Amino acid sequence: MTHHGLFISFEGIDGAGKSTHINSLAHAFQSAGRIVTLTREPGGTLLAEKLRAMVLGDAMDPLTESLLIFAARRDHVVRVIAPALLRGEVVLCDRFTDATFAYQGAGRGFDLKVLATLERWVQADHGLLSDPSGNHPMAPGIETVIEPHLTIWFDLPPEEAALRLAGARVPDRFESQPVDFFRRVAHGYRERQRSHAERFARIDASRSRDHVWANILKVFIEKGWLQAQEVP
Ligand code: TYD
């Protein structure tokens, strides 16, 4: 049976609790016989991981930050995401472009129109997703810009996220921002959900871990991408 590639991203402010659920989903898809590419942004390739270290560690202005993040994304799309989708795999990506609109756009106040232009350039398909048989490995509707089929958005009040993060580890350049920054980022995610409602699934991340997991599974089962009996 040939499978279409599935591209799924996970978003939310720092502290929203994405990581364990992404790993559980990888297991669920693997139990269902799918090959999973588990990856993250910024990062996912050798070059992009170097750029990630700069973005998270070094002070820079918002344009430099945005350009480095999109440079990392281009390398990631070309080398990892598009090839995995062509092979029919499930790509689970911890953050993607919605994070740039939320963090660099809403959080840092950087020009959303510039981000939208970079998004079109960097995620342009331009044959990346055509295979020699002429089949397109993704569902219709994304021929021109490569973007996720589904975005799981972990929605959590910024005050609660700050409590969860406090003392958890040494914060990076974003995690050390004041709660006001995360209020803007959360607003940025809401705006992105509004403009891309068809691919966003909002999960209330303030609920217990089990409840959050059950709600995530429900989304995948309703889409027919996982069967209830396949879930470990
Ligand atoms: P993340 O991988 O969630 O961090 P963690 O190591 O805590 O799991 O994300 C790294 C940080 O990068 C996070 O604070 C958000 C930020 N970020 C942006 O500012 N813009 C982006 O486009 C992306 C993808 C991440």
Side-chain angles (χ1 to χ4, degrees), residues 14 18 41-42 52 56 69 73 95-96 99-100 103-104 169 174-175:
D14 290 276
K18 296 174 274 110
E41 290 220 346
R52 176 190 176 97
L56 298 191
I69 287 171
R73 182 161 299 136
R95 300 189 185 281
F96 197 63
T100 317
Y103 279 78
Q104 282 63 49
R169 58 186 164 189
F174 294 101
E175 289 164 349

Side-chain angles (χ1 to χ4, degrees), residues 139-216:
I142 51 131
E143 275 80 3
T144 50
V145 171
I146 297 172
E147 62 170 12
H149 294 103
L150 172 68
T151 296
I152 300 286
W153 171 36
F154 292 78
D155 190 18
L156 184 72
E159 296 74 15
E160 204 170 318
L163 284 177
R164 287 187 189 180
L165 280 180
R169 58 186 164 189
V170 181
D172 62 35
R173 271 179 73 228
F174 294 101
E175 289 164 349
S176 56
Q177 293 290 320
V179 73
D180 246 3
F181 175 81
F182 288 105
R183 287 196 187 103
R184 294 197 297 277
V185 174
H187 178 74
Y189 276 125
R190 269 196 298 284
E191 289 295 302
R192 220 29 204 173
Q193 182 202 24
R194 231 168 261 156
S195 56
H196 295 74
E198 71 294 342
R199 68 169 165 84
F200 260 79
R202 177 189 169 274
I203 301 289
D204 179 354
S206 65
R207 309 294 299 268
S208 72
R209 184 179 291 192
D210 286 352
H211 201 277
V212 168
W213 175 237
N215 281 339
I216 293 171

